[in-house]
Amino acid sequence: MSPRTKEQNDAIREMRMNQIMQAAAEVYLEKGIQLEVRDVAVKAELGYGTVYHYYKNKHMLLEDLLWDALDRTESAVLPALMGDDESILKAEAFSRLLLRTCIQDSSVFILLKTVADNFHHFPGNRFSKLFGEFQNRIYLPFVEIIREGIGPQSSEKRANLIFGSLVGYAALNIHHDMRSEIDVEGIVDMIFSGIQSKERE
């Protein structure tokens, strides 16, 4: 049997890492920061040594998971940021894309929930760079379209309200295994109709 090529080895490595990441997200939803590399190996149906080969400890694994989730979050909301709609419609589209991705991709939900909790369960300040990137790539562009669409007054406060509402709504449904019942359109319409009616008062 001929040895594998570099391309084949790279493809296997990528497949294994995706398998580990998906398992880690599922375990994190079940156990939170108490997860262990061994739990991830069991969930991924891989040997402990295989997972340990890629990640020496759970913090390295979670760090990779969150950085990867940041890239996927940015890709998901980019169409709304790049669209030609007026700003308030961009903000609504951004919110729908964010909530839909959050429901479909556990690692994106974990990222948003972790940012909302200010990385409370993670040791030291190893996630300060990730938080800064999240601010620059996700949060501040959203604040800007809120500012353009609704006005400069309290735009950051409104952005926080929307983010908090979306993450909280997703958390309630995900932790109670009710993802299929989430009404993305309805919840976003409700949030924005409340903000806009308050603006008109």
Side-chain angles (χ1 to χ4, degrees):
M1 190 173 176
S2 58
R4 287 194 294 256
T5 65
K6 181 182 182 306
E7 290 74 20
Q8 287 172 322
N9 283 330
D10 288 346
I12 289 169
R13 176 180 171 78
E14 187 174 345
M15 183 184 73
R16 280 278 179 269
M17 290 185 78
N18 287 338
Q19 191 177 356
I20 292 166
M21 293 284 188
Q22 188 173 342
E26 291 174 29
V27 174
Y28 188 90
L29 288 180
E30 295 166 9
K31 297 190 170 190
I33 197 65
Q34 301 305 317
L35 108 167
E36 296 296 340
V37 174
R38 196 174 300 279
D39 302 322
V40 175
V42 170
K43 181 70 77 174
E45 298 181 349
L46 294 170
Y48 175 64
T50 301
V51 178
Y52 191 75
H53 171 75
Y54 292 101
Y55 296 103
K56 301 303 180 197
N57 60 60
K58 68 181 181 182
H59 297 297
M60 289 173 64
L61 173 52
L62 288 170
E63 193 166 0
D64 238 19
L65 177 82
L66 294 176
W67 276 104
D68 191 54
L70 176 62
D71 291 338
R72 287 205 302 284
T73 304
E74 185 178 40
S75 295
V77 299
L78 203 56
L81 295 173
M82 303 301 288
D84 294 328
D85 291 328
E86 59 181 271
S87 292
I88 193 64
L89 295 178
K90 277 187 178 182
E92 289 178 21
F94 179 105
S95 300
R96 286 189 196 95
L97 290 169
L98 190 69
L99 181 56
R100 195 168 288 120
T101 306
C102 188
I103 294 160
Q104 294 168 350
D105 186 334
S106 295
S107 64
V108 169
F109 167 70
I110 293 165
L111 171 69
L112 298 179
K113 182 77 169 61
T114 303
V115 168
D117 291 341
N118 199 27
F119 299 93
H120 174 69
H121 298 293
F122 293 84
N125 62 351
R126 66 186 295 152
F127 290 93
S128 58
K129 185 177 179 187
L130 175 64
F131 180 72
E133 286 292 308
F134 179 86
Q135 292 287 99
N136 291 332
R137 291 161 58 180
I138 310 295
Y139 179 72
L140 292 177
F142 184 61
V143 170
E144 185 55 32
I145 57 176
I146 292 288
R147 181 179 289 116
E148 290 170 3
I150 299 175
Q153 188 178 7
S154 303
S155 54
E156 200 162 326
K157 195 178 288 186
R158 287 187 177 92
N160 288 339
L161 169 67
I162 296 165
F163 264 110
S165 300
L166 296 174
V167 174
Y169 181 74
L172 284 170
N173 286 273
I174 288 169
H175 289 305
H176 293 280
D177 202 21
M178 296 163 54
R179 291 181 202 233
S180 60
E181 297 175 34
I182 294 180
D183 176 11
V184 171
E185 297 293 327
I187 193 69
V188 171
D189 287 348
M190 191 185 303
I191 292 168
F192 278 85
S193 63
I195 288 173
Q196 289 170 295
S197 65
K198 185 76 176 170
E199 185 67 20
R200 288 192 291 269
E201 287 178 6

